Structures are given as structure tokens and as C-alpha cells.
Amino acid sequence: MTTSSEIKKKVIVFAEKRDDLIHPISFELLGKGREIADKLNAELSCVLLGYRVSREQAMELIYYGADQVFLYDNIVFKELNIIPYKHNIVQLVKREKPDIFLFGATHFGRSLAPRVAAALETGLTADCIDLQVDENGDLIQIRPAFTGNILAHIKTKTKPVMSTVRYKVMQMREKDQARKGQIINEATEVPNERGPRIIRKERQAEFNITEAKIIVSGGRGLGTSEGFKLLKELADLLGGVVGASRTPVDEGWIGKEHQVGFSGNTVKPKLYIACGISGSPQHLAGMKESETIIAINTDPSAPIHRTADYSIISDLYQVIPEMIKQIKARKVNRT
Ligand SMILES: Cc1cc2nc3c(=O)[nH]c(=O)nc-3n(C[C@H](O)[C@H](O)[C@H](O)COP(=O)(O)OP(=O)(O)OC[C@H]3O[C@@H](n4cnc5c(N)ncnc54)[C@H](O)[C@@H]3O)c2cc1C
């Protein structure tokens, strides 16, 4: 007979598969999930839904920390159509009764997790930047609140405790190919509800600021949308991309996909060059983990200088053309 003290706690992580690849956020979640599961002496599972999923892909999830993988392979998952994903995950939760369920805060995760939470009538803490376990074994979900000025520590009373977690804030574990685990093939239920139908796919120009190694970011100090042409020239020379604070996005100088910060993207590049950005808490929330930060700002008291590794207290319209000139000259000398 099993006593309640012998029933293992369960943590489940949603692994997002897009086209043929598993999104790296899934491996980051497994890193944190493993840490939580070990503290709670819990079982860590992963749910992977897709079409033509290879066994190797499911094994990858085990190598990164999962004890078992619930694998759904069906043509309904060929497109990221939210309805079959939601339906099957809800059924899985009803059967497995996990204590904790984690999703990545990707576009898809942000759309899927609230639907699953609503169907299960449980709570959801969105956009967490850290997860901890307290002395009572409760999950503490940490996320910025009040426009990023405080970090709220949130405990959820309902089960499962559900969270979405931001990309690039959790550490991936080392891949361990010696890890053993179980792959459980699940039968997919195809719901009657169809959801939106994809008639045609149009590829947008590839732009993914979260993966960039070098970001040249502009703020209100640019003064005009034209300033971004200068930043683009520098970013291209360095092999990087252009980012922005929220102000130029609100002004319509550049697209929202470039925004870095609390309500934009979280980035962790090797080099972040902040040009004409004051360094508000909301901006810093999205870039302070960058390896090296260079700030170019005319105001010596701007908060960005306190976070920067290197500060250039000068007019960006003098500094950046000079940087471009120097880099071009070096490139010519090398050829
Ligand atoms: C709910 C909420 C969410 C938010 N989310 C975000 C977010 O995701 N990302 C974000 O960035 N902000 C966000 N904000 C806005 C944030 O509070 C700040 O208003 C914003 O970051 C300021 O942008 P900035 O640094 O470009 O502008 P400013 O604060 O106006 O700074 C401009 C800087 O440029 C310098 N400068 C001027 N001219 C030059 C020059 N020629 N050369 C060099 N330096 C110059 C100035 O000294 C100044 O420091 C959010 C706000 C709220 C309320």
C-alpha cells in the first residue's frame, strides 16, 4: 500500500518544438526543473508534442535533466495550433496531477500556458525570472512588478503551480549522455474544436535579437529615427544587430521586435553597446546580464554608467562615426 508520504512530487516542463528543432528555452527550463525536483525529491518529466519527432530529440531532454518524456507524435502538431496542444496537455495534467508545471515565455508558451491554466482553473505566474523552493517546499515564483522597480515573490495556492519563465534567464545544465530515462509514447487526442487554420505562411525577414552575440542599442538620445541607420552600420560591421530602449519604439523610430527590457526582450550578448540610453530599471532588466556593456551617454550621472563596464561620456554622433571609421580602417589593413 502506498502512503501519502511515499507519493513522489511531480514537476513537468513543456518542451517546445518548432519546425524540426526543440527551442533552447526547453533545456533552460529543464536545468531549473532539475534543481527544483532535486530539492523536492520529485520526479522531473517533460512533455514533447510534435510531428515526426525523433527518438534522439526525446533523448536530448533526458540528457538535459528529465527523468521521463511524455511523447506525442501526431500530424495535428505539425503547426503550432494552440487547440490540440492545450487539449492534450490538459488531459495529461488531469492524469499525472503534477505539483508544478513550467512553460517557456516564448510567443507560443505565453499563448498556451494561460489557456491550460484556465482550463484547469489554476493560477499562472507569467514572465518569471527566477524560481526557488522555500523551507516549506513551496515554489516561489519571482518576477518584476510595479514596472520592474521591485521583484515580487509569488506563492500560488492552486495546483499545479504554473509559471512561464523568460528566455535566457535560467542556466542550462551540461548535457549528460550517460543519463537514463524513460520515453513514454502517448496517444494523441484530436479535439473537435479546430482553432485557427493556417492558410499560408509568409516568412518575415529573420530577426532574433535574443540570440545575437553583439547588440548596438539606441535610445531617446538618438533624437530621430535616422540615428538607427548609423547604429545599423556599426552593428553590421561588428556582425551584430540593432536594439532599442522603449522610447524609440514608442516614437515609431524602430520596430517593437528590437525593444530590450522589462516589456521587451531579455538579452545576454557578449557585447551590448547602449547609445543615448539613460539606463532605467525597465531597460536594465532586459540587458544587465550582458557580458560586456559599453555606454555612450553625454550625461555622466546617467544610471547606465553604473551598470556599464566601459563608459564613454560623449556625444554618440561623434563617437559612433569614429568607431565605424576605425573598424573600417582595421578591416582594410587586414586584407
Ligand atoms: C510598464 C513599463 C514598462 C517599460 N518597459 C521598458 C522596456 O522594456 N525597455 C525600455 O527601454 N524601457 C521601458 N520602459 C520605459 C522606461 O521607464 C524609460 O522611460 C525608458 O527606458 C527610457 O528610454 P531612454 O533611456 O531611451 O530615454 P531617456 O531616459 O530619455 O534617456 C536618454 C539618454 O540619452 C542621453 N543622450 C541625449 N543625447 C545624447 C547624445 N547625443 N549622445 C549620447 N547620449 C545622449 C541622455 O543623457 C539620456 O541619458 C517601461 C516603462 C514602463 C512604465
Side-chain angles (χ1 to χ4, degrees):
M1 205 179 85
T2 315
T3 63
S4 59
S5 61
E6 287 167 339
I7 297 171
K8 264 206 157 189
K9 289 199 165 194
K10 293 180 183 176
V11 180
I12 302 186
V13 162
F14 170 67
E16 182 173 329
K17 184 169 174 287
R18 225 184 264 177
D19 299 325
D20 282 335
L21 297 174
I22 295 179
H23 194 293
I25 199 167
S26 316
F27 301 112
E28 292 178 3
L29 284 179
L30 280 170
K32 184 47 97 171
R34 187 72 263 160
E35 186 188 310
I36 295 167
D38 288 346
K39 279 197 184 141
L40 296 174
N41 189 26
E43 188 174 70
L44 176 63
S45 308
C46 201
V47 53
L48 174 62
L49 308 97
Y51 179 49
R52 294 192 171 145
V53 189
S54 68
R55 201 183 153 77
E56 287 70 36
Q57 280 183 316
M59 282 308 294
E60 284 280 291
L61 299 167
I62 291 171
Y63 298 154
Y64 279 97
D67 297 316
Q68 58 183 3
V69 178
F70 301 114
L71 180 62
Y72 294 76
D73 195 334
N74 192 288
I75 195 159
V76 287
F77 304 120
K78 192 170 174 214
E79 308 291 351
L80 285 176
N81 180 347
I82 211 91
I83 304 293
Y85 278 85
K86 182 198 90 176
H87 180 86
N88 284 279
I89 290 174
V90 168
Q91 299 313 313
L92 178 75
V93 171
K94 285 182 177 166
R95 189 190 78 200
E96 290 297 312
K97 301 187 175 46
D99 299 273
I100 296 168
F101 204 124
L102 307 178
F103 292 81
T106 58
H107 287 301
F108 189 65
R110 280 175 171 154
S111 180
L112 177 62
R115 286 176 164 87
V116 173
L120 294 166
E121 297 184 0
T122 185
L124 173 73
T125 305
D127 262 354
C128 295
I129 58 164
D130 198 6
L131 299 169
Q132 293 169 3
V133 175
D134 73 6
E135 59 285 358
N136 303 319
D138 291 325
L139 188 73
I140 307 298
Q141 302 153 97
I142 301 170
R143 70 176 310 277
F146 296 109
T147 71
N149 285 318
I150 63 155
L151 288 178
H153 287 52
I154 298 168
K155 249 190 212 189
T156 311
K157 285 184 182 165
T158 47
K159 284 275 165 68
V161 176
M162 283 184 49
S163 326
T164 61
V165 178
R166 280 196 176 203
Y167 187 27
K168 299 231 169 180
V169 297
M170 304 286 171
Q171 288 297 327
M172 223 183 259
R173 283 158 55 95
E174 290 279 310
K175 182 173 171 177
D176 177 1
Q177 286 182 261
R179 284 198 88 248
K180 299 270 179 284
Q182 209 186 353
I183 298 171
I184 301 163
N185 290 307
E186 296 284 348
T188 301
E189 285 185 23
V190 180
N192 293 331
E193 195 189 349
R194 307 292 320 164
R197 203 158 57 88
I198 295 166
I199 299 165
R200 191 179 66 234
K201 273 190 183 176
E202 278 184 24
R203 274 217 177 273
Q204 286 193 328
E206 281 295 318
F207 181 78
N208 190 350
I209 198 168
T210 53
E211 298 295 342
K213 298 269 180 287
I214 296 177
I215 300 174
V216 183
S217 237
R220 194 200 301 272
L222 286 178
T224 148
S225 62
E226 287 296 299
F228 278 104
K229 288 190 183 153
L230 191 63
L231 300 198
K232 174 93 170 68
E233 194 180 348
L234 178 60
D236 285 348
L237 279 170
L238 294 171
V241 302
V242 171
S245 69
R246 182 162 134 177
T247 315
V249 173
D250 289 347
E251 292 290 337
W253 298 348
I254 193 162
K256 168 95 178 150
E257 67 278 15
H258 294 263
Q259 187 184 319
V260 172
F262 176 65
S263 51
N265 296 286
T266 305
V267 297
K268 229 185 203 177
K270 284 190 177 305
L271 176 64
Y272 190 88
I273 308 179
C275 312
I277 293 176
S278 60
S280 65
Q282 293 85 4
H283 189 76
L284 296 179
M287 46 64 75
K288 63 179 186 312
E289 300 299 330
S290 306
E291 256 175 57
T292 303
I293 299 170
I294 301 177
I296 307 171
N297 194 309
T298 42
D299 178 3
S301 65
I304 190 78
H305 295 307
R306 293 200 289 273
T307 305
D309 299 284
Y310 301 96
S311 284
I312 304 174
I313 298 168
S314 188
D315 183 346
L316 69 95
Y317 285 106
Q318 286 176 4
V319 177
I320 295 177
E322 189 56 33
M323 285 170 93
I324 291 171
K325 202 169 108 191
Q326 295 284 341
I327 295 166
K328 280 184 177 167
R330 276 166 203 231
K331 288 202 173 188
V332 169
N333 287 344
R334 245 188 259 149
T335 50

